[in-house]
Amino acid sequence: MTDNMRQIPRKQWIKFGIVTLLYLLFLIWIRSWLGLVVVPFLFDAYITKLIPWGFWRKSGNKTLRGVMSWVDAIVFALVAVYFVNLYVFQNYQIPSSSLEKSLLVGDYLYVSKLSYGPRVPNTPLSMPLTQHTMPILNCKSYLDWPHWDYKRVPGLGKVKLNDIVVFNFPAGDTVALNNQQEDFYRLAYREGRNLYPNPVNMDSLSKSQQRAILDFYYTEGSKAVRANPQVYGKVVVRPVDRRENYVKRCVGLPGDTLQIIDRQVYIDGAPLPNPENLQFNYFVQTTGPLIPENIFEELGISLDDQMLMNTNAPYDTQWEALGLNRRDNQGRMAPIYHLPLTKAMYDALNSNKRLVSHIVLEPEGPTTDMYPQNMYTKWTSDNYGPLWIPAKGATLHLTEDNLPLYERCITAYEGNRLERRADGIYINGQKTDTYTFKMDYYWMMGDNRHNSLDSRYWGFVPEDHVVGKPLVVWLSLDKDKGWFNGKIRWNRLFKWVGNEGIE
């Protein structure tokens, strides 16, 4: 040991030992020995001090010391936030009403990465506290290189049935920047149908003919979107960890067979317990007057959800067909609202006979938007499936009938090349009729069932897309209220997010 080393205070050796031990434990946890390259720098920072890390502290320039002290603090804060955000928790704001009334628009959540095990980032070089775009500059907030493969470090547990989960949007791998509210695939199919309306009855066609038409819609729609960046925006591809964050409830686990019958979810033939705050859309006709604002406030219906329908001719005939036929003495139809209601909200309105005359459930929507869009199924948001949810290590017999359900899992999520040839199915150039899945998959749905774009529309959530579990609402702001008029929902502050309310 050199004389200089002997002169180093014992306190410095202790600090170095503690920091190095904690860092090595961290590397063991994330199972990455690449991080050992940092150890020599730790040794220098605490012991040898060959690199002048704090050169500015000895400068006679007061301005330099002031500026560098701020730079030092900011860099330390960004590094700390980066690692905390990656491996411990992150903040998440509820942007839409898909989980109302379990979680509200304007809720700010602490999302635990430890609950399911944090992921090692695919794109480690990124700006902290940004998902994919730099504010103001409007450019990418991450570098595509280096790119690390998916790896999840040990956590406290696994996703369970009825857990509320934050995950990266699976269909967000390809995005048209001017239409980010709609995934690229639904956009392409929709534009293809608009370009080439099909007058043929799909029921009269064979499955191969149906598939050919749907594939044509996607191909032509995709070309149209890509050829019009001034309308749709530039089409970009994002890695898994840079796709938008979504939050939904897990209603199907790997290996489950899921089916929805008359809005009730069934798992392996048994009904899944429903959240207490489960909502569906209804048409509510009054006895004549409009519904007072205080009634909406008591029910917790936001301004965005208070939709007053057009009851004038010729729309009045469609309302009468639903049984909403209340008219005044002049023959004018009584007001009709389109409202999302829980069972408790439905009962409260239905019991108010002085105000409400009829409440009817919203009819089933179109089948063309449902997953998979390259398969003709007649499934709807209220009646869907059955379908099997892939499990890691499970082998599936592939057929022309089930291939559309799992094609995206095989190609987009697990990185294989799949071809359909005249003599069968080829994966990575090899003819096969089976596939063994490399990952677990989940089925996610919102509690606000008729107002949730979820797995029914874009399919399975792969395990490498799972971000974490919301633990607590640390702030809740009502966008319909002012700061001095109830904007802060005090009763929701530090409210734990769990599975309470499951019937």
Side-chain angles (χ1 to χ4, degrees):
M1 184 179 292
T2 66
D3 291 339
N4 288 339
M5 297 285 278
R6 291 191 185 97
Q7 293 174 6
I8 295 171
R10 183 180 179 185
K11 184 178 179 181
Q12 284 299 106
W13 284 102
I14 293 174
K15 286 182 179 179
F16 168 70
I18 292 173
V19 170
T20 303
L21 176 62
L22 292 175
Y23 182 67
L24 290 176
L25 290 174
F26 172 74
L27 293 182
I28 292 171
W29 179 47
I30 67 172
R31 293 173 292 182
S32 175
W33 299 115
L34 183 63
L36 288 175
V37 298
V38 175
V39 174
F41 293 98
L42 291 176
F43 186 78
D44 180 73
Y46 283 94
I47 306 300
T48 58
K49 300 186 184 296
L50 297 177
I51 302 174
W53 303 98
F55 72 94
W56 51 271
R57 293 189 179 94
K58 299 178 182 179
S59 174
N61 188 323
K62 187 177 180 180
T63 301
L64 178 63
R65 292 200 310 271
V67 171
M68 288 304 299
S69 65
W70 277 103
V71 171
D72 183 68
I74 291 171
V75 170
F76 177 82
L78 288 175
V79 171
V81 167
Y82 175 81
F83 280 99
V84 169
N85 199 54
L86 277 180
Y87 294 106
V88 184
F89 68 84
Q90 74 177 62
N91 179 52
Y92 180 77
Q93 179 190 359
I94 299 295
S96 69
S97 62
S98 68
L99 272 170
E100 296 225 2
K101 296 296 191 266
S102 302
L103 293 174
L104 306 182
V105 174
D107 280 352
Y108 288 78
L109 311 173
Y110 280 132
V111 178
S112 167
K113 301 289 187 74
L114 299 175
S115 294
Y116 307 130
R119 298 171 300 177
V120 173
N122 301 125
T123 52
L125 298 183
S126 64
M127 179 60 67
L129 302 179
T130 62
Q131 183 60 21
H132 49 68
T133 305
M134 288 284 288
I136 302 175
L137 299 177
N138 202 32
C139 62
K140 281 168 52 176
S141 63
Y142 62 94
L143 297 180
D144 292 305
W145 187 91
H147 185 93
W148 295 343
D149 292 336
Y150 165 64
K151 182 171 68 173
R152 188 179 296 276
V153 304
L156 301 177
K158 293 186 176 182
V159 177
K160 298 188 291 294
L161 215 55
N162 269 319
D163 274 1
I164 294 177
V165 181
V166 173
F167 55 92
N168 295 117
F169 180 37
D173 58 338
T174 306
V175 179
L177 292 180
N178 288 356
N179 289 73
Q180 296 193 50
Q181 74 283 358
E182 183 174 16
D183 74 74
F184 178 83
Y185 305 98
R186 294 182 72 234
L187 175 63
Y189 277 107
R190 178 168 58 80
E191 293 306 300
R193 289 188 177 92
N194 291 339
L195 287 170
Y196 301 96
N198 179 25
V200 178
N201 180 6
M202 294 287 278
D203 290 319
S204 65
L205 303 178
S206 67
K207 290 184 179 181
S208 61
Q209 291 172 321
Q210 293 170 356
R211 179 68 178 264
I213 289 175
L214 296 174
D215 285 346
F216 176 78
Y217 284 152
Y218 175 74
T219 300
E220 296 304 309
S222 178
K223 288 179 183 177
V225 172
R226 294 178 186 275
N228 290 280
Q230 68 277 10
V231 175
Y232 303 102
K234 181 182 178 182
V235 176
V236 300
V237 176
R238 289 174 178 158
V240 171
D241 62 341
R242 296 298 152 193
R243 297 168 193 174
E244 291 288 355
N245 287 326
Y246 273 33
V247 58
K248 308 287 180 186
R249 190 182 296 277
C250 177
V251 299
L253 296 174
D256 288 345
T257 296
L258 177 142
Q259 187 172 13
I260 304 172
I261 303 175
D262 293 333
R263 300 173 303 285
Q264 172 63 54
V265 176
Y266 290 81
I267 298 297
D268 296 332
L272 180 70
N274 289 319
E276 180 183 357
N277 292 316
L278 190 68
Q279 290 191 135
F280 296 102
N281 285 345
Y282 294 86
F283 292 112
V284 179
Q285 186 172 45
T286 73
T287 55
L290 297 176
I291 298 176
E293 184 55 38
N294 68 299
I295 298 292
F296 285 128
E297 190 166 335
E298 290 173 8
L299 293 173
I301 300 177
S302 68
L303 291 175
D304 287 345
D305 286 335
Q306 299 171 26
M307 187 179 296
L308 189 61
M309 309 305 294
N310 188 341
T311 56
N312 298 322
Y315 300 103
D316 55 345
T317 56
Q318 73 180 32
W319 302 123
E320 287 185 338
L322 291 176
L324 304 174
N325 51 19
R326 179 93 175 196
R327 295 178 181 269
D328 61 18
N329 295 332
Q330 285 75 42
R332 293 173 300 191
M333 185 163 282
I336 297 174
Y337 289 87
H338 180 262
L339 304 173
L341 303 174
T342 64
K343 184 178 184 302
M345 294 159 67
Y346 175 96
D347 291 341
L349 278 176
N350 198 43
S351 64
N352 191 345
K353 298 301 183 183
R354 296 180 60 184
L355 179 63
V356 175
S357 63
H358 298 89
I359 303 179
V360 298
L361 186 71
E362 178 184 270
E364 290 184 278
T367 63
T368 54
D369 282 343
M370 311 312 294
Y371 175 85
Q373 294 201 16
N374 59 344
M375 178 178 173
Y376 182 66
T377 62
K378 294 186 178 180
W379 294 349
T380 70
S381 60
D382 291 347
N383 290 278
Y384 188 97
L387 84 168
W388 175 77
I389 303 171
K392 182 177 181 179
T395 298
L396 176 72
H397 178 66
L398 298 175
T399 67
E400 282 296 324
D401 289 343
N402 67 20
L403 186 62
L405 286 167
Y406 305 103
E407 183 174 2
R408 186 163 172 79
C409 300
I410 296 170
T411 58
Y413 303 145
E414 301 199 356
N416 299 286
R417 187 179 75 258
L418 186 147
E419 300 172 273
R420 296 190 306 276
R421 302 179 186 175
D423 61 337
I425 299 168
Y426 285 74
I427 297 179
N428 299 325
Q430 299 294 318
K431 184 178 180 181
T432 183
D433 62 356
T434 63
Y435 182 76
T436 300
F437 291 92
K438 303 172 187 175
M439 290 192 292
D440 283 328
Y441 291 80
Y442 303 91
W443 197 261
M444 306 287 186
M445 290 172 59
D447 293 351
N448 194 359
R449 291 289 163 83
H450 284 157
N451 296 312
S452 175
L453 287 176
D454 49 39
S455 285
R456 294 168 294 177
Y457 298 90
W458 37 254
F460 306 103
V461 175
E463 66 172 69
D464 67 342
H465 284 59
V466 173
V467 173
K469 182 178 182 179
L471 292 184
V472 65
V473 177
W474 66 270
L475 177 65
S476 185
L477 301 178
D478 189 336
K479 65 183 180 65
D480 295 336
K481 302 289 183 65
W483 286 104
F484 301 102
N485 185 33
K487 188 173 189 66
I488 300 177
R489 302 184 185 106
W490 296 100
N491 63 325
R492 294 189 63 79
L493 266 59
F494 302 105
K495 174 183 173 62
W496 287 98
V497 179
N499 291 347
E500 65 274 5
I502 299 298
E503 296 176 358

